[in-house]
Amino acid sequence: MTDTPRRTALDALHRGLGATMTDFAGWDMPLRYGSERDEHVAVRTRAGLFDLSHMGEITVTGPQAAALLDYALVGNIGSVATGRARYTMICREDGGILDDLIVYRLAEAEYMVVANASNAQTVLDALTERAAGFDAEVRDDRDAYALLAVQGPASPGILKSLTDADLDGLKYYAGLPGTVAGVPALIARTGYTGEDGFELFVAPADAEKLWQALTEAGAEAGLVPCGLSCRDTLRLEAGMPLYGHELTTATTPFDAGLGRVVKFEKEGDFVGRAALEAAAERAETQPPRKLVGLIAEGRRVPRAGFAVVAGGEVVGEVTSGAPSPTLGKPIAIAYVDAAHAAPGTEGVAVDIRGSHEPYEVVALPFYKRQR
């Protein structure tokens, strides 16, 4: 083991573009190439190109692959059609969230589980342990893929110019094998920005060729390279949770307002079922803190861990906060006591270094694209 961050197949390219690099979950990743605000606006209005090769791909195959995933995860994975994907979570026995995931069904008995970079080893270990007794194989495929994402309203047109795959027929949360700029790829219509877009899983050796082809094809449409900084503000505006902030082992899906991903109706037991049934009941009878949006009335930016206050009492905690380029104001996601969680609740503030800055409580998301 080494403390040196891992580098993606596009590392030299990022440095050649002058990217500011940062250590993220053990990977050296581009934070920004120029102005993070300009990158954010490009994704909202045109298109942005991301290197997401730090994400963790785990392949599950075999006659009982679906049964294993139904047992190991909270979702009904066996009901996912071939070529489709599902957002789900993997929980501990006590209901705490280990990670949120996207699972793609690639074939009848083949699935790809995509974990967050910071949790990839944890998810791999948990799936391997939970596979005992199932006729299924769990395989670490993190080194088998590079992952590029093109996001934004211009992304379908850009990608269409490079592939003969049926993008018009590709639904949201679906994936199909195809060729992009001569490179074999799994083309998925998924993303983490709140915009239409695609994630392209390719061999690491093909990553640079594909990046250059997308850059050239997108030049006229205004596509720009984008780093992790604008990815965070984009997902924040779209109200999408980030592991380690809105989601932790101390929270259940019901605490996070994402109880819909837990499928009690599926057959058989699954890890955490009993604890999650209790959490669902608590959420109905004794609402815990709720996840809400906060919009600043002033200019000061809240950060994770800052207290939410009302009437001089602490009533919640900020989990994510940043300036919003789209709204033109600072925004935050926070867990707030149910009594102060309704949109429009007055008298709510964030304690920013001793000053109680007024904030408006709103429903999530802050931003929703026009479809």
Side-chain angles (χ1 to χ4, degrees), residues 277-362:
E277 285 174 341
E281 190 172 329
R282 281 197 307 273
E284 287 289 331
T285 58
Q286 301 170 300
R289 284 183 168 179
K290 293 187 175 180
L291 207 56
V292 302
L294 300 174
I295 300 178
E297 294 181 17
R299 309 302 304 173
R300 298 189 72 185
V301 179
R303 299 297 182 190
F306 285 12
V308 180
V309 296
E313 299 292 324
V314 174
V315 298
E317 183 176 309
V318 171
T319 53
S320 297
S324 165
T326 303
L327 276 63
K329 298 178 180 180
I331 60 173
I333 298 177
Y335 279 107
V336 174
D337 291 349
H340 299 275
T345 299
E346 296 184 353
V348 172
V350 176
D351 186 339
I352 300 180
R353 297 181 180 88
S355 174
H356 291 187
E357 301 290 330
Y359 271 74
E360 177 188 0
V361 179
V362 300

Side-chain angles (χ1 to χ4, degrees), residues 40-55:
H40 180 112
V41 171
V43 175
R44 285 278 178 258
T45 60
R46 305 184 305 277
L49 180 58
F50 296 83
D51 178 10
L52 305 180
S53 301
H54 60 313
M55 301 294 280

Side-chain angles (χ1 to χ4, degrees), residues 100 151 190-194 199 231 234-235 238 240-243:
D100 61 335
Q151 297 279 303
T190 47
Y192 192 53
T193 63
E199 295 184 327
R231 177 171 152 92
L234 289 160
R235 71 92 195 166
M240 294 177 169
L242 175 63
Y243 195 88

Side-chain angles (χ1 to χ4, degrees), residues 58-69 77-78 80-83 103-113 135-139:
I58 301 162
T59 303
V60 180
T61 57
Q64 291 188 300
L68 163 59
L69 291 172
I77 307 304
V80 178
T82 300
V103 179
Y104 297 88
R105 190 169 196 165
L106 304 180
E108 179 63 27
E110 182 179 2
Y111 296 81
M112 182 168 67
V113 177
D135 187 3
E137 178 193 354
V138 176
R139 187 173 71 236

Side-chain angles (χ1 to χ4, degrees), residues 5-369:
R6 298 180 66 184
R7 297 185 173 190
T8 77
L10 294 167
D11 183 77
L13 187 148
H14 298 318
R15 294 172 192 278
L17 290 171
T20 299
M21 306 296 287
T22 187
D23 183 353
F24 182 82
W27 289 82
D28 217 9
M29 298 296 296
L31 188 63
R32 68 181 72 83
Y33 297 85
S35 158
E36 55 202 52
R37 185 185 186 282
D38 289 349
E39 292 171 22
H40 180 112
V41 171
V43 175
R44 285 278 178 258
T45 60
R46 305 184 305 277
L49 180 58
F50 296 83
D51 178 10
L52 305 180
S53 301
H54 60 313
M55 301 294 280
E57 296 85 7
I58 301 162
T59 303
V60 180
T61 57
Q64 291 188 300
L68 163 59
L69 291 172
D70 276 341
Y71 169 71
L73 311 180
V74 301
N76 190 348
I77 307 304
S79 68
V80 178
T82 300
R84 298 305 301 267
R86 183 156 295 168
Y87 176 76
T88 188
M89 295 182 186
I90 182 167
C91 290
R92 302 191 306 191
E93 198 66 68
D94 66 1
I97 302 167
L98 286 172
D99 201 14
D100 61 335
L101 314 163
I102 295 179
V103 179
Y104 297 88
R105 190 169 196 165
L106 304 180
E108 179 63 27
E110 182 179 2
Y111 296 81
M112 182 168 67
V113 177
V114 181
N116 286 298
S118 58
N119 293 331
Q121 188 64 49
T122 298
V123 174
L124 177 66
D125 292 345
L127 287 175
T128 302
E129 181 182 332
R130 295 174 190 187
F134 288 92
D135 187 3
E137 178 193 354
V138 176
R139 187 173 71 236
D140 181 0
D141 272 347
R142 284 176 287 179
D143 292 336
Y145 292 102
L147 177 57
L148 280 63
V150 55
Q151 297 279 303
S155 58
I158 294 167
L159 199 56
K160 278 181 187 177
S161 71
L162 296 173
T163 183
D164 56 4
D166 179 18
L167 297 187
D168 290 334
L170 187 64
K171 297 178 181 178
Y172 187 50
Y173 265 70
L176 82 168
T179 302
V180 182
V183 170
L186 171 65
I187 305 168
R189 199 164 205 155
T190 47
Y192 192 53
T193 63
E195 298 298 336
D196 191 10
F198 303 87
E199 295 184 327
L200 308 170
F201 296 85
V202 300
D206 292 330
E208 191 165 334
K209 176 183 176 182
L210 182 55
W211 179 283
Q212 298 289 17
L214 288 164
T215 298
E216 291 169 18
E220 195 172 317
L223 175 142
V224 300
C226 292
L228 294 181
S229 187
C230 84
R231 177 171 152 92
D232 189 51
T233 53
L234 289 160
R235 71 92 195 166
L236 180 56
E237 288 185 349
M240 294 177 169
L242 175 63
Y243 195 88
H245 290 252
E246 289 71 44
L247 309 177
T248 69
T249 52
T251 56
T252 73
F254 295 94
D255 296 329
L258 292 167
R260 65 182 181 275
V261 307
V262 182
K263 303 301 182 185
F264 294 122
E265 68 273 17
K266 64 180 176 178
E267 289 185 16
D269 194 15
F270 62 89
V271 176
R273 178 191 271 274
L276 290 168
E277 285 174 341
E281 190 172 329
R282 281 197 307 273
E284 287 289 331
T285 58
Q286 301 170 300
R289 284 183 168 179
K290 293 187 175 180
L291 207 56
V292 302
L294 300 174
I295 300 178
E297 294 181 17
R299 309 302 304 173
R300 298 189 72 185
V301 179
R303 299 297 182 190
F306 285 12
V308 180
V309 296
E313 299 292 324
V314 174
V315 298
E317 183 176 309
V318 171
T319 53
S320 297
S324 165
T326 303
L327 276 63
K329 298 178 180 180
I331 60 173
I333 298 177
Y335 279 107
V336 174
D337 291 349
H340 299 275
T345 299
E346 296 184 353
V348 172
V350 176
D351 186 339
I352 300 180
R353 297 181 180 88
S355 174
H356 291 187
E357 301 290 330
Y359 271 74
E360 177 188 0
V361 179
V362 300
L364 294 170
F366 300 97
Y367 167 87
K368 202 167 188 177
R369 73 181 172 94

